[in-house]
Amino acid sequence: MSIDPITLAVLAGRMEQIADEMDATLFRSAFNPIIAEAHDASHGLYHATTGETLVQGKSGLPIFVGVMAFAVKAVIDKAARDGDLADGDIYIFNDAHIGGTHLSDMRLVRPFFHDGRVFCHLASVGHWHDMGGAVPGNYNPQATEVFQEAFVLPPVKLVRAGVLQQDVVDIVLRNTRLPASAQGDLNGQMGALDLGARRLAALLAEYGADTVRAALEALSDRAETLARAEIAALPDGRWEAEDFLDNDGITDTALPIRVALEVSGDRLALDFTGTAGATAGPVNISYGTAVACVYVAIKHVFPGLPANAGVMRPLGITIPDGSLLAAQFPAPTGGYTETILRMIDVIFSAMAQAAPEIVVANAYGTINALSLAGHRADGRRWVMFSFYGGGHGGSIDGDGLNHGNAPISTATIPPVEILEAAYPVMFRQWALRPDSAGAGTHRGGLGAIYEIELLEESAQVFLFGERGRYPPRGVAGGGDAALNRFGYENDGIWHRPPLASKMVGIGLKRGERVRLETPGGGGYGPPEARDPVRVARDVALGYLTEAGADTAHGPAWRECGA
Amino acid sequence: MSGGVMIGVDVGGTFTDVFVLDEDTGTVRVAKVPTTRPDQSGGFLAGITGPVPDLGRVASVVHGTTAGTNALLERKGARIGIITTEGFRDVLEMRRRDRPRTWGLRGDFDPVVPRDLRLEVPERVLACGTVHTPVDLDAVRAAGARLLAAGCEAVAVLFVNAYANPGNERAAAEALRAIWPSAHVSASSEVLPEIREFERFSTTALNAYLQPEVSGYLARLQEALRAGGFGGEFLIVQSNGGVMSVDTACRRPVRTALSGPAAGVIAAAHIARTAGFGDVITGDMGGTSFDVSLIADGQPALAAQTAIDFGMVVRTPMIEITTIGAGGGSIAWVDRGGLLNIGPESAGSDPGPVAYGRGNDRPTVTDANIVLGRIDPDRPIGGGRLDVAAARAAIDVHVGAPLGLGTEAAAEAILRVANARMAGAIRLVSIERGHDPKRFAFMPFGGGGALHAGAMLSEVGLGRAIIPRYPGVTSAMGCVIADMRQDFVQTVNTLTDAVDTADLGALIRSHVDEGMRLLDAAGVTFAGRTVVVELDMAYVGQTHTVAVPLTSTRDGAPPPPDRAAIGAAFDAAYRATYGRLLPGGVTRLLNLRTAVIGERPKFDLARLAPRGPGTTAPRTTRRVHFGEWLEAAIHDRLDLPVGAEIRGPAVLEQPDTTIVIDPGQIGRVDAHGNLILSPDPEAQP
């Protein structure tokens, strides 16, 4: 059936609201700060048979917008194989090779029945605090198999026709260092699905299933039309870009990520041939994650596109078999964030050659998963785990943002006072990092310096980062940003990790410190074209040192007595 | 209520509204004068002295102000400096590592204090409150001298963990007060002794940023009032919907961030309660936005914080107002995918809708209302004549043609999408707080809301809408009604099982003593005093807290807290919010919040009711489009007597708003002059 344009516009808003309310429910009720504060979670409505994204909440993590379709498809396939799907079932799993991203992300999928048939799927994904494995928090840069990263749960029924399977809950909770947190997050995700099901049932009662189904189809078509219009406005042609990961955490070899981007009419082809092969260490990503990452990059370039699978129809994506972008079980994927950030960077760099005004320069390009863990005097275990920020890239509109979150995320960082109240640490510094931004007509935003002192007897430190050897790139003639830099103090001497930004099991004693200095964003446009008055202002504010200003821009700013 | 004249003044972006209640004669007058910019005091005084030439009879003047909001939005506050813990000068600029928009990665941020005016001094307190490094007061004085030399008018002291032990901060503030030439010295533990450094620093820095500006403005007003013979009390509305003395407002101007809209919600709560409705959702439709607030059991919902703009966080209890970009001036457009959208772009009030003829040629929500006959083009609010042909042409070009709809159908489509967005906002605010929206009545205020009241009933399934007699001056009326309210917070951060109830009781007492002192000092007569004690609590490991109401005590000291009661109150609050408890979960008590409220006497709303026989006869009729063109009765709303019943289709007009009664709905005038709109039980389906 066709649908009138007015009902369509009304339903578009109503369905988006259902996903938004599911997000809001989990953010408020989740136990672990990675979901509650950093919003590392997502909810949406997915196609009954293909699993494609129909509607996704606006506040969840951007990377999930594309990847959840693969998680839902995995459940659809599983249910078809088993042949026992029933109304009231909820599946749970974290298997990254079929669901995308990494094992920390617990996915719940609830087939939504209407008139005895699956109308669509509701899904909830959230990053749990700990899922077992060798390293608390699950960022193990030395993992060579998923089994060293975390407990792997394939899709199984958590709820069977409305009845909670306590056995499954018991298995999950026995495999985490933080069972109370896991139980709280599980309750929160089930609560979000309950709410989504209630809202959707009310919507179907009000408008009828046929009308809602017709609206969903029309919205996919509309998304496709919008995407084609954006692509058609680009010049036809082929552009290439290349960047590198420092290493895989095991062997100190740089890993190329390559893209060739081809625009022809209203179609856009992205070919990642030439990217490094699968690695022993955990910088692999699954095929689904790679596809989802392309979606994230495209939506940053064209922010008006909706969160809907129709956007993907004009795209041709080539992910080479055997590459680290198409990992096979049981290759480790814990560091997927670093790889997809680099994919976004090369897509931006290639697009900048086609139309620089539509992209921003590279952001800081690493999430810097840093954890400190130990036991308190009374024997209780503590794990302080967080991601750290850096600068955003400059654009034709202006300078990049100082200390932003990663492009794949909308996560906020916990306050120092919350961290210090919860863990035996004292931050010595929490500051912007001078000279960390890429120079340009519009410079990048600044990265940050975080210095942390241990207040307990001893602790172990784990870091999973990148950009220690290859800096975030400028575009349109803009300069590169500073490298990521990590140091730790043992017996009064400062050390750097041999693999630049990755390390496990660093021992710290009371009073010793770690120090993380994150990259800024790349610059946009030639630095010599920057207004010297703005250079002088950057020096006066300490964003640039005098020497840094001279190197990037020459001495003209010195005449501008800011 | 004691005699004399009470005046409420609400200064908005376009108009300054004045509400005058004369207790001696039992009369009410309202006035609307243009707002003067940048100094709002000119319009303020003109608005008062028009209806009340003799200020000597005035017992109180209560002011809802946007002076603070505007200074924040337009970055017109003072040049200020901050002094902070070594290693933390960039907290204000680094924020919580967010970004302005999820998609696009563009946009940067300039904090209100540039980096060279953010100075560090040696000092450090640990999370447990232990002083790790005593504050170096020589360094503080040197930093203060540097900021003064740099031309700073105000200074804020922002120390890490000062919520846990304010000693270092207090010593630094004291040292600064000894050298600072004005009273504009703020310390974060004085403004907001609550954990989370960015939120506390931001609130304190914005307080300092507003101090010179707002206190100067209020001092000018007070002086002018006194010069005019005014000897009564001068009070300011806070974002929490309560009033404070001018003295408090000068010290805590950041509490005025949402002063104007808060007063409107307070008035709405009072009007609705008097009309017999405890549960109300208010909708204030302006030129660019639709602001929604929820009142449950007569109490407006409060939010803990808001961001005035990206990175400009104010954390202080405030009336929760949800804003969506669907106002009268919001532009309707069809995207390249063929979907009709309303906003967020807006023509505002200048140039305004196409029909205003001031240069905008893209259709707005108001244009749709004009084309459909809901607004009289010959008698619009604000005067003049409207260009209906231009509005029709714009709707044809931008909406009708791309969607294949005729003019009226396209205009109806614009209203339906706009109404659906407004209805969505109403649903979201009620559902987010666990309420069923169908239980609520809708109260539109401001100029545009009443045009859409009927649509809200049918879209959301609400039973009633209440349209106050003077919806255009609701905020000014709220100023006269609002109670005096002081909010206090203190982070406790302890396990509930380990909480020292004697210490907690002492904290509550100190809040109450300070609150009562402020009430006493304001020189206001109160009908009663209420103390509300609330705790922010969570399960251990959870970072978001739930607000746990503990006690509410009228005219007496709150009872001493006890652990069992705290545990039971947590369970009740948690279950109400999330549905299920965590079995065996250990709970933590993060913050204590105390509100000390002085109830100001309420005037009798019957004073607003229509007097005399009036008339229920329509002034005229007009064709109005409700799916088809119907001949609708047009009434002068203020002429309708108590008890009048008007069936739709009808339009009620008055100087400050237009009310549309849809076919199948009925409007009744109640004893206070409100119009109660509901489905008409006698209407043919």
Side-chain angles (χ1 to χ4, degrees):
Chain A
M1 85 183 257
S2 73
I3 184 166
D4 72 86
I6 306 160
T7 309
L8 178 63
V10 171
L11 280 176
R14 288 287 295 274
M15 289 187 288
E16 207 169 77
Q17 195 181 343
I18 292 176
D20 286 344
E21 286 183 32
M22 291 166 76
D23 283 345
T25 303
L26 180 58
F27 296 157
R28 281 187 302 143
S29 59
F31 266 54
N32 94 70
I34 307 168
I35 297 176
E37 301 270 342
H39 294 184
D40 196 339
S42 186
H43 298 85
L45 279 60
Y46 305 86
H47 193 273
T49 53
T50 65
E52 281 184 346
T53 304
L54 301 171
V55 180
Q56 192 125 356
K58 287 191 292 291
S59 34
L61 205 64
I63 184 62
F64 290 132
V65 172
V67 86
M68 284 300 283
F70 292 88
V72 173
K73 186 65 169 57
V75 164
I76 292 170
D77 292 346
K78 155 91 174 162
R81 277 197 308 278
D82 295 352
D84 66 344
L85 187 66
D87 193 355
D89 286 351
I90 299 177
Y91 289 83
I92 184 171
F93 73 109
N94 71 339
D95 189 336
H97 286 86
I98 57 178
T101 64
H102 57 170
L103 294 170
S104 302
D105 294 332
M106 193 57 88
R107 298 144 236 263
L108 270 64
V109 177
R110 174 174 179 152
F112 179 87
F113 279 74
H114 182 78
D115 284 343
R117 287 198 306 143
V118 177
F119 180 82
C120 69
H121 297 270
L122 298 170
S124 167
V125 57
H127 184 137
W128 287 16
H129 212 154
D130 182 87
M131 285 299 301
V135 171
N138 309 115
Y139 276 82
N140 178 4
Q142 293 180 342
T144 55
E145 292 180 318
V146 289
F147 311 111
Q148 295 143 3
E149 296 185 308
F151 160 67
V152 185
L153 184 70
V156 295
K157 284 192 185 182
L158 170 70
V159 178
R160 196 175 279 273
V163 180
L164 180 71
Q165 305 298 292
Q166 188 60 41
D167 290 354
V168 174
V169 176
D170 291 347
I171 292 169
V172 170
L173 297 185
R174 192 61 168 166
N175 277 282
T176 165
R177 294 176 179 84
L178 302 165
S181 166
Q183 174 78 69
D185 293 344
L186 182 66
N187 284 355
Q189 287 187 263
M190 287 198 292
L193 289 176
D194 282 349
L195 177 119
R198 284 203 306 278
R199 293 279 177 276
L200 186 55
L203 190 74
L204 294 183
E206 189 176 340
Y207 283 88
D210 289 343
T211 303
V212 175
R213 192 177 290 116
L216 289 167
E217 275 164 28
L219 290 172
S220 285
D221 292 346
R222 163 183 176 262
E224 178 182 351
T225 307
L226 285 174
R228 288 193 189 279
E230 298 284 14
I231 295 165
L234 298 174
D236 278 7
R238 189 170 189 280
W239 298 275
E240 295 179 9
E242 173 188 68
D243 206 334
F244 297 87
L245 293 172
D246 295 341
N247 52 57
D248 70 347
I250 307 287
T251 312
D252 201 3
T253 305
L255 302 163
I257 308 281
R258 296 202 174 95
V259 71
L261 189 143
E262 192 166 351
V263 178
S264 51
D266 64 0
R267 286 195 52 78
L268 173 64
L270 299 106
D271 183 347
F272 292 89
T273 300
T275 295
T279 58
V283 294
N284 303 293
I285 63 177
S286 72
Y287 175 82
T289 308
V291 171
C293 173
V294 170
Y295 174 82
V296 172
I298 296 296
K299 192 156 160 61
H300 276 309
V301 177
F302 306 116
L305 295 180
N308 169 321
V311 168
M312 304 298 281
R313 290 184 200 148
L315 304 184
I317 302 171
T318 306
I319 307 289
D321 287 342
S323 73
L324 61 78
L325 306 182
Q328 298 299 308
F329 190 83
T333 61
Y336 86 100
T337 50
E338 308 306 289
T339 308
I340 60 176
L341 286 170
R342 205 65 63 252
M343 281 179 76
I344 292 171
D345 290 340
V346 295
I347 294 171
F348 282 10
S349 293
M351 275 209 171
Q353 300 165 47
E357 68 281 0
I358 65 169
V359 298
V360 295
N362 290 180
Y364 59 108
T366 172
I367 56 153
N368 276 319
L370 175 66
S371 47
L372 278 73
H375 293 85
R376 296 181 191 271
D378 63 8
R380 275 184 301 138
R381 180 192 279 281
W382 61 276
V383 181
M384 179 177 103
F385 172 82
S386 190
F387 306 124
Y388 292 84
H392 284 186
S395 73
I396 195 165
D397 293 343
D399 293 344
L401 179 69
N402 292 337
H403 194 244
N405 42 21
I408 52 170
S409 165
T410 47
T412 55
I413 197 165
V416 169
E417 289 177 350
I418 290 282
L419 294 174
E420 291 193 358
Y423 309 110
V425 298
M426 172 169 72
F427 280 78
R428 286 290 191 167
Q429 203 174 351
W430 179 279
L432 293 174
R433 178 185 177 195
D435 288 340
S436 59
T441 313
H442 294 151
R443 63 164 167 75
L446 270 66
I449 302 171
Y450 311 91
E451 190 172 298
I452 309 166
E453 179 176 326
L454 179 68
L455 301 179
E456 263 293 352
E457 210 44 51
S458 68
Q460 298 268 299
V461 181
F462 309 86
L463 175 70
F464 202 123
E466 264 290 338
R467 289 287 190 206
R469 301 252 163 80
Y470 298 89
R473 299 272 172 81
V475 299
D480 296 345
L483 293 171
N484 197 30
R485 196 156 58 172
F486 178 75
Y488 60 95
E489 184 187 24
N490 275 165
D491 300 321
I493 298 165
W494 282 84
H495 305 270
R496 296 202 183 287
L499 294 181
S501 302
K502 298 185 189 69
M503 196 158 174
V504 296
I506 301 164
L508 280 195
K509 293 191 289 293
R510 189 191 299 276
E512 293 183 336
R513 307 179 189 187
V514 296
R515 181 179 171 90
L516 182 61
E517 298 173 72
T518 69
Y524 183 95
E528 11 347 326
R530 185 171 179 82
D531 181 350
V533 173
R534 304 196 62 185
V535 178
R537 178 177 179 271
D538 286 347
V539 173
L541 295 180
Y543 295 152
L544 274 176
T545 61
E546 296 195 0
D550 286 341
T551 309
H553 303 280
W557 67 271
R558 290 178 182 275
E559 310 300 314
C560 297
Chain B
M1 173 174 273
S2 58
V5 176
M6 295 177 71
I7 301 178
V9 186
D10 177 63
V11 181
T14 316
F15 292 110
T16 294
D17 295 329
V18 180
F19 184 94
V20 181
L21 172 71
D22 190 329
E23 282 290 331
D24 297 334
T25 62
T27 55
V28 165
R29 273 167 295 168
V30 299
K32 230 180 204 341
V33 300
T35 294
T36 51
R37 309 282 303 259
D39 185 355
Q40 299 177 347
S41 53
F44 181 105
L45 293 165
I48 291 188
T49 48
V52 189
D54 173 16
L55 294 180
R57 282 186 55 235
V58 177
S60 61
V61 174
V62 187
H63 182 21
T65 174
T66 48
T69 321
N70 290 340
L72 292 176
L73 285 174
E74 296 164 15
R75 300 298 187 93
K76 298 250 173 75
R79 183 173 171 84
I80 66 164
I82 66 164
I83 296 174
T84 190
T85 309
E86 216 165 51
F88 292 88
R89 72 190 284 207
D90 292 327
V91 165
L92 281 179
E93 187 161 356
M94 292 165 74
R95 315 167 314 283
R96 292 280 303 282
R97 190 199 54 192
D98 48 358
R99 62 177 181 256
R101 281 171 295 277
T102 300
W103 298 104
L105 305 173
R106 289 170 199 241
D108 59 354
F109 171 66
D110 270 325
V112 298
V113 197
R115 198 163 192 256
D116 53 348
L117 300 179
R118 305 196 301 254
L119 307 181
E120 296 179 352
V121 294
E123 80 84 29
R124 191 66 153 92
V125 171
L126 299 181
C128 54
T130 307
V131 175
H132 177 279
T133 307
V135 59
D136 180 342
L137 291 177
D138 289 335
V140 170
R141 281 184 281 266
R146 255 182 79 186
L147 294 175
L148 278 174
C152 291
E153 290 180 69
V155 61
V157 187
L158 312 174
F159 288 174
V160 169
N161 291 329
Y163 74 89
N165 177 350
N168 276 0
E169 248 195 26
R170 273 190 197 146
E174 207 170 294
L176 284 169
R177 285 182 175 126
I179 61 165
W180 206 260
S182 71
H184 306 324
V185 176
S186 300
S188 79
S189 53
E190 293 170 4
V191 173
L192 182 76
E194 185 176 344
I195 190 168
R196 290 169 194 265
E197 73 284 353
F198 170 68
E199 288 78 358
R200 187 174 74 249
F201 288 7
S202 175
T203 305
T204 309
L206 294 180
N207 192 65
Y209 184 63
L210 290 178
Q211 258 178 345
E213 169 77 24
V214 172
S215 61
Y217 165 69
L218 295 177
R220 281 196 302 281
L221 279 182
Q222 185 155 2
E223 213 166 285
L225 287 171
R226 299 271 181 251
F230 171 65
E233 66 203 36
F234 182 35
L235 302 170
I236 309 301
V237 180
Q238 311 175 60
S239 313
N240 65 11
V243 298
M244 58 184 161
S245 68
V246 168
D247 183 48
T248 309
C250 291
R251 284 187 298 114
R252 298 282 186 272
V254 77
R255 292 189 187 167
T256 67
L258 290 177
S259 169
V265 177
I266 290 302
H270 181 59
I271 294 168
R273 203 160 42 221
T274 323
F277 300 97
D279 296 331
V280 193
I281 293 168
T282 67
D284 180 0
M285 191 179 195
T288 56
S289 69
F290 180 65
D291 295 341
V292 181
S293 283
L294 182 129
I295 299 160
D297 291 333
Q299 297 301 317
L302 292 180
Q305 68 176 52
T306 193
I308 299 293
D309 201 350
F310 176 68
M312 294 174 73
V313 169
V314 173
R315 189 165 172 88
T316 157
M318 52 187 78
I319 301 277
E320 185 162 44
I321 293 170
T322 303
T323 295
I324 60 165
S330 293
I331 286 170
W333 56 289
V334 176
D335 67 27
R336 285 189 284 189
L339 195 69
L340 174 60
N341 293 270
I342 306 294
E345 213 186 324
S346 170
S349 51
D350 191 20
V354 177
Y356 285 16
R358 282 193 236 131
N360 169 40
D361 60 2
R362 297 166 69 199
T364 65
V365 173
T366 297
D367 288 311
N369 275 314
I370 292 164
V371 162
L372 296 175
R374 286 145 193 251
I375 292 173
D376 185 348
D378 298 325
R379 297 163 38 117
I381 297 168
R385 272 197 97 248
L386 302 176
D387 188 343
V388 184
R392 291 181 67 94
I395 288 175
D396 284 342
V397 170
H398 293 279
V399 178
L403 295 183
L405 298 172
T407 315
E408 287 82 12
E412 293 258 11
I414 293 170
L415 291 192
R416 269 205 62 194
V417 174
N419 286 335
R421 290 202 52 207
M422 290 190 255
I426 289 175
R427 259 188 237 107
L428 198 62
V429 298
S430 46
I431 285 160
E432 273 178 344
R433 298 195 157 259
H435 298 294
D436 177 0
K438 292 192 167 53
R439 205 156 57 77
F440 285 72
F442 175 61
M443 183 182 293
F445 63 86
L451 281 165
H452 299 264
M456 291 308 103
L457 294 194
S458 42
E459 284 276 339
V460 188
L462 306 171
R464 299 258 181 300
I466 312 165
I467 297 130
R469 186 153 167 88
Y470 299 106
V473 294
T474 313
S475 289
M477 190 206 286
C479 295
V480 173
I481 294 170
D483 292 330
M484 181 167 272
R485 176 176 174 133
Q486 307 293 339
D487 281 295
F488 301 89
V489 62
Q490 175 63 52
T491 292
V492 180
N493 197 17
T494 173
L495 294 179
T496 310
D497 291 341
V499 66
D500 184 327
T501 48
D503 282 358
L504 190 63
L507 276 176
I508 294 171
R509 271 197 307 283
S510 73
H511 287 170
V512 172
D513 290 349
E514 174 65 4
M516 293 298 173
R517 190 187 68 72
L518 288 167
L519 294 191
D520 292 341
V524 179
T525 318
F526 298 107
R529 298 182 181 210
T530 298
V531 175
V532 179
V533 178
E534 226 179 57
L535 304 171
D536 292 342
M537 296 176 68
Y539 285 116
V540 170
Q542 214 173 13
T543 62
H544 279 209
T545 57
V546 289
V548 178
L550 195 62
T551 58
S552 177
T553 316
R554 193 160 191 265
D555 293 332
D562 84 274
R563 262 184 229 164
I566 292 172
F570 172 82
D571 285 356
Y574 196 88
R575 195 179 281 114
T577 312
Y578 299 122
R580 52 189 125 194
L581 301 177
L582 190 76
V586 178
T587 62
R588 194 163 46 92
L589 196 172
L590 197 68
N591 301 311
L592 163 70
R593 295 182 186 281
T594 313
V596 180
I597 300 162
E599 295 156 29
R600 293 170 66 221
K602 302 290 178 276
F603 76 92
D604 184 357
L605 283 173
R607 293 198 195 297
L608 302 181
R611 312 258 164 99
T615 176
T616 53
R619 178 167 55 76
T620 179
T621 63
R622 187 166 78 224
R623 289 198 325 147
V624 179
H625 199 272
F626 295 96
E628 58 182 321
W629 286 108
L630 299 175
E631 202 64 27
I634 311 298
H635 295 266
D636 281 327
R637 192 257 173 117
L638 296 180
D639 287 346
L640 296 175
V642 169
E645 292 192 350
I646 307 293
R647 294 195 146 77
V651 177
L652 313 188
E653 295 175 348
Q654 64 185 94
D656 56 351
T657 198
T658 302
I659 304 163
V660 173
I661 304 180
D662 288 7
Q665 294 180 340
I666 184 170
R668 291 188 181 83
V669 179
D670 77 0
H672 300 109
N674 303 304
L675 186 85
I676 312 292
L677 194 63
S678 64
D680 183 355
E682 289 171 29
Q684 301 300 317

